[in-house]
Amino acid sequence: MEKNNFQKQNTYVSEEEKTLNWEEIQKSFKNTFGTEIYNSWLQKISLIKEYNDFLILGVPTRFFRDWIVSRYLDKILEEVKNFKLSLNRIEFKIIEENNQPSEVLKLNEISKITEIKDSIVNYNRLNPNLSFANFIQGKSNDIALSYSKKVCEHLSRYNPLYVCGGVGLGKTHLLNAIGLELQNENNVMFISAERFMYHFIKSIKKNDMLNFKDFFRKSSVFIIDDIQFISGKESLQEEFFHTFNSLMDKGSQIIISADRVPMKLDRVQDRLKSRLSGGLVVDIDLPDVDLKSKIIKKKILEIESQFKESINLNEEVINFIASESKTNIRELIGVLNRVIAFSRVNNKILNISDCKKILKDAFSQTKVITVDKIQNVVSNFFNIALSEMLSQRRSRPLARPRQVAMYLAKKMTTRSLPEIGRRFANRDHTTVIHAVKTITRLSEQDDEMKKNINQIKSLLLEQ
Ligand code: ADP
Ligand code: MG
């Protein structure tokens, strides 16, 4: 019985949903991308279907789609995530207007075609806002920040620099800042692993691998974001391994980000993992309240200067938002935007109880944490099979993750101890108590354990 239940919940089905207000999102596109880009491109995107984890967006032509995908996709996804955290993918559908073939482009688009020399070049844009100057230092990112700066001063001394940490903690921001710092005097390539794959596949299809290799190997600073994406993709790993080696051979600086340390990368060749950890690995932890408050204040100043308006959030409200937002900085900024939007629309200075209400709405659509989910995330995190984690075997590599999962089940769900015991292959509630005690003690004494618990929590809250 239990087992069947498991399997059912394990198969993740995307359900159609309607929670997004597309007009509101369009407004945020306009703010983020600026009027010019908005008017020529983003305004024409429509929402066709919304699922719990992805969106289908409508665009007028194929050309239009390629343009958007090659230049704005990551940012669009980041933006819509502010409205719905569970989204992780966007698909496009071409809606042909008046039955015109999609190749027939409008005049204003034709003028833009000449700008596309190479979609890779177009994508390799750094965001001027994600600079060191705009990156706030805190306890959780101190080391990552200082080595990111050092890399800029001494190219190739720390090679590769590998920045890791959970989602929304500032990895892309730091990588982008390094790119900005170095771009004037170096040939900087900045790309996400996902884009790297997109070009890789495109080049294979077009039988154009030579160009691909050439293009990526000529950079003197190669920055690749979210390398965990290569998990399980053998041929991509192969290609990346060669790119990596040839860049290292010619002394290029490589900077990499990922959601975990190299050795924990799942389904990645060992030789690649060892290359990735061959330089310096730095990580970013969850922010504390102090850093979160500083970021909120900085964001408020940015918005005030950008929109020439004053935003009235008092210290108490700022602290409240900072301590209430528990997952990551991206979410924190999303919540802040909601609060500001609310105060704009209602033209009022917000107090704590308004904020409570807004935050409640903001958080309510996400995060129903179940024992099943905890078990899945924990077993994935520690790279062991779920069945093994639940088995009766007592070896340390299985017992610890099992205890972590029990501990989190106690802390993050409302299940009772006996119920939790039952969900772990019918164990006794005293076993659960023992697990909770052990992990509580370890997470106080052992930094590694503390960090693991935090990362798993943020994975759970993010999903
Ligand atoms: P990641 O790549 O780790 O998922 P991002 O770099 O995209 O996270 O960061 C998420 C958001 O939080 C971005 O808007 C980024 O500018 C902001 N952010 C993260 N850390 C900081 C920081 N220390 N100071 C200012 N903004 C930050
Ligand atoms: Mg990122």
Side-chain angles (χ1 to χ4, degrees), residues 443-460:
S443 64
E444 280 158 11
Q445 295 167 351
D446 178 19
D447 282 348
E448 174 78 13
M449 178 59 85
K450 187 167 156 192
K451 199 179 284 168
N452 286 345
I453 298 272
N454 279 337
Q455 281 184 7
I456 297 169
K457 274 191 189 160
S458 90
L459 285 171
L460 281 162

Side-chain angles (χ1 to χ4, degrees), residues 378-428:
V378 171
S379 59
N380 266 336
F381 184 86
F382 290 106
N383 259 329
I384 55 176
L386 181 58
S387 56
E388 293 229 89
M389 191 176 85
L390 298 179
S391 72
Q392 300 299 333
R393 291 176 51 199
R394 290 192 185 167
S395 67
R396 177 64 74 81
L398 298 178
R400 272 285 181 271
R402 185 183 300 139
Q403 290 179 320
V404 168
M406 288 183 185
Y407 164 88
L408 290 171
K410 181 66 198 123
K411 298 277 168 191
M412 300 179 85
T413 74
T414 54
R415 301 277 165 202
S416 67
L417 294 165
E419 274 177 303
I420 295 172
R422 276 200 292 282
R423 307 299 286 274
F424 283 81
N426 261 330
R427 284 179 163 78
D428 192 69

Side-chain angles (χ1 to χ4, degrees), residues 69-86:
V69 168
S70 68
R71 304 190 61 179
Y72 308 123
L73 183 59
D74 288 354
K75 226 162 149 212
I76 291 177
L77 181 61
E78 194 173 305
E79 202 61 32
V80 293
K81 261 174 123 57
N82 284 336
F83 292 85
K84 187 170 172 184
L85 217 57
S86 56

Side-chain angles (χ1 to χ4, degrees), residues 130 134-136 141 168-173 295 329-330 333:
L130 302 180
N134 288 337
F135 191 87
I136 316 241
N141 60 31
L169 297 183
K171 300 182 297 294
T172 302
H173 190 142
I295 290 175
I329 296 170
R330 181 176 301 136
I333 295 170

